[in-house]
Amino acid sequence: MAPAQVLSAPLCPPEPWVLTQAELCVRDAKMSSPPRVGEGRLRDPVPLVWRRLCFSRCQREDVFWLPLLEKVYAKVYGAYEHLWAGQVADALVDLTGGLAERWSLKDSARSGGQQDRPGGSERGLCQQLLSLKDRCPISCSVLSPRDGARELGEFHAFIVSDLRELQGQAGQSVLLLRIRNPWGRRCWQGPWRQGGEGWSRVDPADESELLSQLQEGEFWVEEEEFLREFDEVTVGFPITEAGHLQSLYSEKALCHTQELPGAWVKGQSAGGCRNNSGFPSNPKFWLRVSEPSEVFVAVLQRPRVRPAGRARAPVGDECAAWSPASFRREDYQAVGLHIWKVEKRRVSLPRVLSTPPVAGTVCHAYDREVHLRCELAPGYYLAVPSTFLKDVPGQFLLRVFSSGRVSLSAIKPAAGSPAPGEALPAGEWETVQLRGSWRTGQTAGGSRNFASYPSNPCFPLSVPEGPGPRCVRVTLHQHCQDSQCHPIGFHIFQVPVDGGSQGAPGLLLQEPVVSCVPHRYAQEVSRLCHLSPGTYRVVPSTYLPDTEGAFAVTIATRIDRRSIHSQERLGQLLQEASFMAVMKT
């Protein structure tokens, strides 16, 4: 292929679900005779102005691969104008099927929760780019140009086309980066421009060689200048000759790949982030790791788009109804991903999700794709992708790249297991509602992180004798407006058989048998659990001490008893009515 000269803005990616259409376009183009540039008599011509290509073109006019690829990309997304702007990382994912990362060149506070970059510091990053220059595409961008540096433009992406490490005349090492402006203009007039003072530090032969390599829109910058003027670097993962993705961190080949589609459905599986009580209802996936592996897990979300001029199709019909040409792009959702290690596949989901994950995104990001890098030991892992807000619908693709053998499967929701706030399962339930409050200096002890925790309200719970554990649902509801909710949760402690002579403070120092944590900003949190016969204490709490509020604790216990058959009713079932007791404290 001849080198290309790109005169258009960075490509805005189409939807990865329709890339097969691009492959069909390429196949059709190969089967037809090659077009001649400038004639303008093609049945579906490329855009021309004064018999010249409007956008991308190769340096040689008899080479046509770049405009053809750009036209295929435009067809996939609907029109050339839909390729305006966009993220370079998304375009790299579309064109390679792999992964791409964005690394901040500034302080970590502005990194937006991105992955830890190789090399650690900014200096180490430039050395890493030097080792990657021949193996993967590299882009850099300016998010907020400094005063006097407006030539670089704001929110503009550039190409890092080369890196060279030279020996200075004083014996020092000089690292230079060759930057290309895709627009082919507005070059940076820095100290390493032609005739600039920077070249006095290196050998004249090196100066002549490097300046002769510059093409239209290219310029050289030194490492310190690069780190000062640019804000972000985008790197696509290398691809080996065998076609496998390669890790940017360990250079291991990620030979094993898995992917599964998923969806957040309002009222069913759109549980929101971990601050929401509905988080356990989010889509869940089993990831089985067969050997110690470096694993990348990515959530690639489908953009929220709506058909022009008509209502959006139902979720179940979206796959058939979506067409890039008839939809317009809207913002992405803020998405995140968390992974838990489990000892076996039959686990208590609320208990697992109450523990810290082995890996998780620092925050929910408004990016098309977020991913995690993990060093995982053999075993089972639970992956839970989520949106930040609850009840926000969306579709996504969960992708896994691993250096070792892995398998991925979706977890189907268990039948009869209600989500928080839903009705109790069928059957007879005995319900008790207890009211209480947290008061500053008295009963507002906060979470178990604080020594004042034992001062929280403590409510009795008795599970009667029976053939086995009883199904119990405990719900904590705080009386407040949505905007004034405190983070709330609760623990259930079992009273020892000897009568609990140690008292409430000593009891609350033990490990709880059931926990509804982390504390969440919600009006209501709930847990459905199975408790053995005995005496328990339910302790509701806010996260911080001295946080005042009123609440109600509802305890629903399933009544397990055989139905009574009556001869007079000819075998019809007689059902006994349950009762409700209200206790005020």
Side-chain angles (χ1 to χ4, degrees):
M1 290 183 180
Q5 182 177 7
V6 184
L7 299 183
S8 63
L11 294 178
C12 179
E15 299 169 16
W17 283 267
V18 294
L19 284 182
T20 52
Q21 298 180 22
E23 298 170 357
L24 292 175
C25 293
V26 172
R27 183 198 65 183
D28 295 341
K30 289 180 178 179
M31 295 175 61
S32 61
S33 57
R36 290 189 293 176
V37 180
E39 285 190 353
R41 294 196 298 268
L42 299 175
R43 183 179 61 181
D44 193 10
V46 294
L48 301 175
V49 173
W50 299 108
R51 301 175 65 84
R52 288 181 60 86
L53 291 165
C54 291
F55 304 117
S56 301
R57 66 170 183 261
C58 298
Q59 288 182 329
R60 290 169 44 188
E61 291 191 359
D62 59 339
V63 179
F64 200 69
W65 68 268
L66 182 59
L68 178 61
L69 176 62
E70 185 183 42
K71 183 170 182 61
V72 171
Y73 209 43
K75 275 184 170 291
V76 168
Y77 203 59
Y80 275 90
E81 55 264 29
H82 293 162
L83 303 186
W84 181 266
Q87 290 289 344
V88 175
D90 296 342
L92 291 176
V93 170
D94 285 342
L95 296 175
T96 66
L99 294 171
E101 286 192 0
R102 295 159 54 194
W103 299 331
S104 173
L105 298 178
K106 306 306 179 186
D107 57 278
S108 59
R110 296 177 56 186
S111 64
Q114 302 170 61
Q115 294 286 317
D116 294 334
R117 50 179 181 249
S121 66
E122 286 79 4
R123 300 289 181 182
L125 181 138
C126 287
Q127 292 296 323
Q128 182 74 13
L129 295 180
L130 182 63
S131 66
L132 292 173
K133 68 172 185 175
D134 297 324
R135 297 193 291 130
C136 57
I138 304 173
S139 173
C140 57
S141 57
V142 177
L143 304 181
S144 180
R146 300 184 309 108
D147 294 338
R150 295 295 175 183
E151 298 96 308
L152 295 179
E154 190 172 6
F155 303 111
H156 186 45
F158 298 80
I159 301 167
V160 181
S161 54
D162 194 11
L163 291 94
R164 295 287 296 271
E165 192 167 21
L166 306 178
Q167 191 73 20
Q169 293 185 349
Q172 79 281 16
S173 176
V174 179
L175 180 60
L176 297 180
L177 299 91
R178 189 171 70 192
I179 310 297
R180 173 182 295 175
N181 185 347
W183 291 99
R185 60 180 185 269
R186 294 175 66 182
C187 290
W188 171 243
Q189 298 297 316
W192 295 90
R193 66 187 183 278
Q194 188 168 4
E197 62 275 15
W199 297 107
S200 61
R201 298 165 49 192
V202 299
D203 189 271
D206 291 331
E207 174 187 2
S208 177
E209 177 190 358
L210 296 186
L211 288 177
S212 66
Q213 297 176 2
L214 293 180
Q215 301 175 14
E216 184 183 2
E218 288 189 330
F219 54 94
W220 289 97
V221 296
E222 192 180 359
E223 178 182 9
E224 292 183 0
E225 185 182 6
F226 175 75
L227 296 174
R228 181 178 68 249
E229 303 296 344
F230 292 88
D231 296 296
E232 195 174 68
V233 167
T234 300
V235 180
F237 277 50
I239 298 178
T240 65
E241 293 184 359
H244 300 305
L245 214 61
Q246 190 177 28
S247 172
L248 290 172
Y249 298 82
S250 65
E251 299 188 4
K252 294 180 181 178
L254 307 175
C255 305
H256 303 270
T257 62
Q258 297 281 332
E259 63 181 39
L260 282 176
W264 296 289
V265 181
K266 183 177 180 179
Q268 299 180 31
S269 60
C273 65
R274 297 181 69 198
N275 291 336
N276 295 297
S277 59
F279 178 79
S281 65
N282 279 303
K284 293 169 284 291
F285 298 84
W286 282 123
L287 175 63
R288 182 180 182 182
V289 180
S290 301
E291 54 189 328
S293 307
E294 181 182 15
V295 182
F296 291 83
V297 186
V299 178
L300 179 62
Q301 64 169 317
R302 196 171 194 172
R304 293 185 299 166
V305 291
R306 300 179 185 273
R310 61 186 179 91
R312 183 170 180 170
V315 173
D317 300 333
E318 283 184 353
C319 292
W322 280 36
S323 170
S326 61
F327 284 72
R328 58 183 177 86
R329 173 179 294 272
E330 293 186 353
D331 294 336
Y332 292 108
Q333 292 293 341
V335 297
L337 174 66
H338 294 84
I339 299 176
W340 282 266
K341 178 73 166 66
V342 294
E343 298 302 325
K344 55 184 180 179
R345 294 186 66 172
R346 295 183 63 85
V347 297
S348 170
L349 180 62
R351 182 174 300 175
V352 169
L353 299 184
S354 298
T355 61
V358 296
T361 51
V362 177
C363 61
H364 286 64
Y366 287 95
D367 293 328
R368 194 183 71 166
E369 183 174 62
V370 298
H371 70 263
L372 294 173
R373 173 185 176 268
C374 322
E375 294 284 350
L376 299 183
Y380 284 100
Y381 295 84
L382 182 68
V384 183
S386 62
T387 57
F388 180 73
L389 297 177
K390 185 179 179 182
D391 288 333
V392 174
Q395 293 178 287
F396 62 89
L397 186 68
L398 187 70
R399 304 193 297 157
V400 178
F401 301 86
S402 174
S403 61
R405 298 190 312 274
V406 295
S407 61
L408 184 68
S409 59
I411 300 178
K412 296 181 179 180
S417 180
E422 295 182 359
L424 294 171
E428 297 183 61
W429 292 79
E430 182 179 88
T431 304
V432 176
Q433 188 178 81
L434 312 171
R435 303 182 187 276
S437 62
W438 297 291
R439 298 191 179 278
T440 301
Q442 301 178 25
T443 58
S447 64
R448 297 182 70 206
N449 296 336
F450 302 94
S452 57
Y453 177 75
S455 65
N456 280 301
C458 191
F459 297 97
L461 167 60
S462 179
V463 178
E465 295 288 340
R470 292 293 182 92
C471 185
V472 179
R473 180 169 181 177
V474 179
T475 302
L476 172 61
H477 181 94
Q478 61 175 320
H479 305 302
C480 64
Q481 301 294 328
D482 288 340
S483 59
Q484 301 174 346
C485 285
H486 303 302
I488 58 172
F490 62 83
H491 297 279
I492 301 178
F493 300 86
Q494 185 169 18
V495 179
V497 181
D498 58 9
S501 57
Q502 55 187 334
L507 175 66
L508 301 189
L509 293 178
Q510 300 179 3
E511 284 298 314
V513 294
V514 175
S515 296
C516 185
V517 290
H519 290 68
R520 302 185 179 108
Y521 286 94
Q523 273 198 333
E524 186 174 285
V525 295
S526 180
R527 275 292 310 273
L528 185 65
C529 53
H530 290 80
L531 299 178
S532 301
T535 304
Y536 299 85
R537 296 290 184 268
V538 180
V539 182
S541 63
T542 57
Y543 179 72
L544 295 176
D546 294 333
T547 303
E548 293 199 343
F551 62 86
V553 175
T554 302
I555 303 173
T557 305
R558 181 157 186 168
I559 303 173
D560 296 321
R561 53 192 172 201
R562 293 181 299 176
S563 301
I564 302 175
H565 293 267
S566 170
Q567 296 292 337
E568 289 77 9
R569 296 296 184 90
L570 300 179
Q572 293 183 3
L573 301 182
L574 294 178
Q575 295 185 348
E576 298 181 19
S578 60
F579 66 94
M580 173 181 288
V582 178
M583 180 185 299
K584 296 185 178 181
T585 61

